[in-house]
Amino acid sequence: MPSVERLLRYGVSGAASAVTHVGAGFLLVQGLGMRPVVASSAGFVASVLVSYGLQRAWVFRSPTGHLTAGGRFLAVTAVAFALNAAILGLVAGPYLIVQGIALVAVPIVNYALNSRWTFRVT
């Protein structure tokens, strides 16, 4: 069972990742006139880096090397992306409700995979 402290750190890291994604995208669109899709993509990459760094060093405090943990983290990120798409494609209902379901399911799956595989201490 994860500690409340670790779950709070995980929540903060997720919020920091989301702020990075949206903030970087906004700055690139507004400040540099970049197209929104390109700006959001760059923001997403930045958010993955922030999320990885915070989760490895602060949330899970893992000594797992970057080569191993980084590859695993990218695999988990791909699973999360696919899960989000699957939920949106398979669950019927209004967009905000279905996206809300995904926004609950995806972090739970991410936490489970990252705590038990990506950053697991061997």
Side-chain angles (χ1 to χ4, degrees), residues 26-117:
F26 179 79
L27 291 173
L28 291 170
V29 168
Q30 297 300 315
L32 299 178
M34 197 175 279
R35 293 181 319 168
V37 170
V38 176
S40 181
S41 297
F44 177 79
V45 170
S47 75
V48 168
L49 295 172
V50 166
S51 183
Y52 170 76
L54 286 173
Q55 287 189 34
R56 182 178 178 274
W58 187 52
V59 175
F60 298 107
R61 298 179 176 158
S62 175
T64 305
H66 290 296
L67 190 59
T68 299
R72 289 176 178 177
F73 189 82
L74 290 176
V76 170
T77 299
V79 167
F81 181 82
L83 176 60
N84 184 76
I87 290 169
L88 287 166
L90 298 173
V91 177
Y95 171 77
L96 288 178
I97 292 173
V98 176
Q99 185 63 75
I101 293 167
L103 288 173
V104 171
V106 169
I108 291 169
V109 170
N110 270 354
Y111 184 90
L113 292 173
N114 283 324
S115 66
R116 291 183 174 99
W117 183 56

